[in-house]
């Protein structure tokens, strides 16, 4: 499948890498030249890049080279979007920006192309309503780092074309992810995973504000009690850096 990824930051670069490794032809675009260069470097020699995967025996050299051949990065927007069957939007979490990008995508993408957003929580209804193809708009929410995490939260509503849900679920499964389809809530931010996480973080912050425990102690207790890889406050830092530090 021909895929365009919009935004080459922490998520977009990793998502583009995963999609290319799964056999798709992927173009990842960004407005920022530096982000493009960083993304290209990240997918080749970065912590989760192809070189390390080969060195660690997780990927054959030939498969890595083939995936890299299918993956391009640039600041060109119109070309890749005009040729895409699926577009995965990964620009920063600002509703005004996402709506602007979705309007552009709707204008430039082929009429049957699927427009997916990796928003962390904006309602599908808001993004779908900014296009003339609401049935072809869907949320495909990934977790960081995309190369590692099996998370695939797929958010739909009554307008979403069942074929679109099936196609995106199949592509996610083809990427080695566990697609879970959930319903959009037009008034709530966070779908399922981030709503539940936010509730937990509110309580963790309250514990610290009350002087009951430090950030570090809350993190340590949650790791030791629930077997989480890191505690609630460390998750925020990891997500913004892409776990590269
Ligand atoms: N970081 C995480 O852990 C995480 C996890 C799941 C979902 N998300 C969501 O993924 C999205 C992207 O997050 P991120 O962490 O990758 O952000 P980021 O800041 O690392 O990357 C965003 C990129 O989008 C680019 N951009 C801005 N406007 C653009 C435009 N009009 N066209 C093309 N590119 C544009 C920026 O230059 C930047 O490189 C957000 O909606 C975020 O909430 C993030």
């Amino acid at each position: 499948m021909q895929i365009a990824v919009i935004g080459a930051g922490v998520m977009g670069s990793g998502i583009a890498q995963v999609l290319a490794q799964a056999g798709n032809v992927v173009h990842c675009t960004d407005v920022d030249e530096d982000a493009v260069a960083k993304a290209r470097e990240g997918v080749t020699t970065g912590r989760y890049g192809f070189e390390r995967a080969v060195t660690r025996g997780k990927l054959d050299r030939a498969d890595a080279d083939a995936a890299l051949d299918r993956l391009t990065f640039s600041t060109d927007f119109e070309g890749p979007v005009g040729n895409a069957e699926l577009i995965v939007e990964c620009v920063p979490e600002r509703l005004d920006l996402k709506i602007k990008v979705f309007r552009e995508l709707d204008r430039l993408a082929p009429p049957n192309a699927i427009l997916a957003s990796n928003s962390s929580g904006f309602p599908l209804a808001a993004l779908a309503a900014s296009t003339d193809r609401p049935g072809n708009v869907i949320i495909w929410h990934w977790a960081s780092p995309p190369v590692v995490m099996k998370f695939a939260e797929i958010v739909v509503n009554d307008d979403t074309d069942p074929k679109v849900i099936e196609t995106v679920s199949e592509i996610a499964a083809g990427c080695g992810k566990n697609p879970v389809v959930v319903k959009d809530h037009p008034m709530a931010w966070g779908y399922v995973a981030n709503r539940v996480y936010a509730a937990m973080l509110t309580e963790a912050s309250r514990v610290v504000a009350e002087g009951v425990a430090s950030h570090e102690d809350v993190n340590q207790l949650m790791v030791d009690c629930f077997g989480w890889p890191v505690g609630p406050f460390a998750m925020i830092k990891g997500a913004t850096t892409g776990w590269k530090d």
Side-chain angles (χ1 to χ4, degrees):
M1 188 176 248
Q2 195 87 22
I3 301 179
V5 177
I6 315 298
V10 166
M11 295 304 290
S13 58
I15 289 170
Q17 179 183 339
V18 172
L19 289 167
Q21 196 177 324
N24 301 287
V25 175
V26 183
H27 188 92
C28 184
T29 178
D30 201 290
V31 287
D32 180 354
E33 289 278 5
D34 288 346
V36 167
K38 223 169 126 192
R40 206 179 276 126
E41 193 183 321
V43 304
T44 47
T45 55
R47 177 171 180 194
Y48 301 105
F50 287 120
E51 273 309 318
R52 251 189 111 202
V54 171
T55 311
R56 295 173 67 208
K58 303 226 173 230
L59 190 63
D60 288 344
R61 164 70 59 197
D63 290 341
D65 289 346
L68 266 173
D69 282 348
R70 287 190 292 270
L71 178 55
T72 46
F73 293 92
S74 81
T75 53
D76 181 17
F77 185 87
E78 292 205 20
V81 166
N83 286 324
E85 298 163 85
L86 166 68
I87 296 161
V88 185
E89 170 275 313
C90 299
V91 304
E93 189 76 0
R94 274 179 33 217
L95 188 56
D96 62 328
L97 176 61
K98 288 194 188 276
I99 286 176
K100 189 169 153 246
V101 169
F102 266 74
R103 287 201 179 120
E104 277 300 279
L105 294 176
D106 192 33
R107 192 172 68 81
L108 296 167
N112 292 332
I114 298 171
L115 310 185
S117 175
N118 177 46
S119 170
S120 293
F122 290 130
L124 167 63
L127 298 179
S130 65
T131 74
D132 288 330
R133 59 177 94 190
N136 273 24
V137 180
I138 196 163
I139 304 290
W140 179 2
H141 181 208
W142 297 62
S144 177
V147 176
V148 177
M149 303 298 277
K150 289 195 171 293
F151 176 84
E153 186 176 42
I154 294 169
V155 185
V156 305
N157 63 18
D158 290 346
D159 291 335
T160 320
D161 185 334
K163 275 197 228 109
V164 169
I165 304 172
E166 195 185 328
T167 302
V168 172
S169 299
E170 277 174 16
I171 297 169
C175 290
K177 309 305 178 193
N178 283 334
V180 176
V181 178
V182 303
K183 282 193 194 145
D184 188 40
H185 188 312
M187 302 304 284
W189 185 91
Y191 316 126
V192 174
N194 276 337
R195 275 179 71 181
V196 174
Y197 172 66
M200 180 275 300
L201 195 59
T202 300
E203 191 60 16
S205 302
R206 193 176 294 149
V207 162
V208 173
E210 289 167 353
V212 172
S214 66
H215 286 90
E216 293 71 26
D217 288 346
V218 173
N219 279 341
Q220 192 61 55
L221 288 165
M222 298 309 279
V223 167
D224 292 342
C225 187
F226 295 107
W228 292 359
V230 295
F233 300 111
M235 277 186 202
I236 302 171
K237 183 166 179 274
T240 47
T241 60
W243 304 96
K244 287 174 190 131
D245 292 351

